[in-house]
Amino acid sequence: MKGLILNNLYSIDKSVKFSLLISTAAIIPLIISGNPTALKIAVLLPFLIIPMNAFEVLKQDSMSGWNKFEITLPLKKSKIIQSKFITFLLLLFTSLLLTFALFYCASIFISPTVMDDFFNIGLRGMGMMFCAASLVYPLTYIFGIEKSDMITMGSIGFAFVMFFFISFLMKVFIGEMKGAEEIFSLSFLLVSIFLFILSYATSVIIYRKKEF
């Protein structure tokens, strides 16, 4: 399992490093600006950039022929799928860690108020990526990497649809009560995690039936 995960990370090593550099370069001036909207963008940006590299693993596997070789390894097919999902989780955690580190430093050296909306917006950022990933993996295994770019774009669109749909439901059922924003962020994340878990189960079923 560790070998599979390391292989996944090595295959996108350069892309991940570039994403980390771009995210850091974008976050710092946004934080310095002190603008409330800019701060929210600064929190969301790494979540929308760094974990996306996990989706490239499927493309790299197919282009290199690794996807045909890994099924010959003495491993259950579910372990292969697990390695893809764990790679995504590692990159998502990296996004959270990077953003938190930069915002925490900013709260010490610039202003403590920059952390005010960090966790609220951070939950939404993670929810968006869990939502997108929940479609990317099973659909890519069904339709192949030839349509991976279209699938990724459609999955991001699905994440936004779910975001606004759950936001609408929250407004209908809880209105403008105190803590409504935090309740929405947590609810969106939990729904997204459920979809992500469901996606894993679906991907395993699809992968077991897939012929290479």
Side-chain angles (χ1 to χ4, degrees):
M1 173 66 78
K2 290 181 180 179
L4 289 175
I5 296 170
L6 286 174
N7 181 73
N8 293 338
L9 293 174
Y10 283 140
S11 69
I12 54 172
D13 178 58
K14 291 182 180 179
S15 298
V16 171
K17 289 178 180 177
F18 182 70
S19 297
L20 288 169
L21 182 63
I22 289 295
S23 297
T24 303
I27 289 174
I28 292 174
L30 288 171
I31 291 176
I32 293 174
S33 73
N35 182 279
T37 301
L39 291 175
K40 291 179 180 179
I41 294 173
V43 176
L44 285 174
L45 207 56
F47 293 108
L48 301 178
I49 295 177
I50 299 172
M52 293 289 288
N53 292 290
F55 305 151
E56 289 296 311
V57 171
L58 301 178
K59 187 182 293 186
Q60 293 292 335
D61 285 353
S62 181
M63 291 173 62
S64 66
W66 172 256
N67 62 335
K68 295 180 181 179
F69 175 76
E70 66 182 349
I71 61 173
T72 65
L73 297 173
L75 292 169
K76 293 182 179 179
K77 288 187 175 181
S78 60
K79 294 293 184 182
I80 295 175
I81 299 299
Q82 278 182 30
S83 73
K84 312 303 180 188
F85 278 71
I86 291 174
T87 299
F88 169 81
L89 291 174
L90 287 174
L91 292 180
L92 188 67
F93 178 73
T94 300
S95 304
L96 177 62
L97 192 62
L98 172 68
T99 313
F100 177 78
L102 292 174
F103 268 78
Y104 183 74
C105 290
S107 70
I108 295 174
F109 298 107
I110 299 176
S111 171
T113 60
V114 299
M115 291 289 289
D116 287 352
D117 289 326
F118 176 82
F119 290 104
N120 190 31
I121 304 301
L123 291 178
R124 298 181 187 189
M126 288 190 289
M128 293 286 287
M129 291 315 301
F130 273 123
C131 238
S134 70
L135 277 190
V136 167
Y137 288 104
L139 291 184
T140 301
Y141 284 125
I142 291 173
F143 298 108
I145 63 157
E146 295 80 9
K147 297 183 180 180
S148 61
D149 292 336
M150 186 182 300
I151 290 170
T152 300
M153 292 176 62
S155 298
I156 293 172
F158 169 73
F160 277 101
V161 169
M162 287 299 297
F163 179 89
F164 290 112
F165 176 67
I166 294 174
S167 176
F168 170 75
L169 290 180
M170 289 294 103
K171 288 180 179 178
V172 170
F173 289 106
I174 66 175
E176 299 297 328
M177 65 176 286
K178 184 179 179 181
E181 289 292 315
E182 289 73 18
I183 293 173
F184 161 67
S185 298
L186 183 58
S187 299
F188 177 57
L189 177 62
L190 292 176
V191 170
S192 300
I193 290 174
F194 171 76
L195 292 175
F196 185 73
I197 294 171
L198 186 63
S199 171
Y200 167 73
T202 305
S203 296
V204 169
I205 294 171
I206 295 169
Y207 193 77
R208 283 174 176 167
K209 296 180 179 179
K210 189 174 177 65
E211 296 181 2
F212 292 90

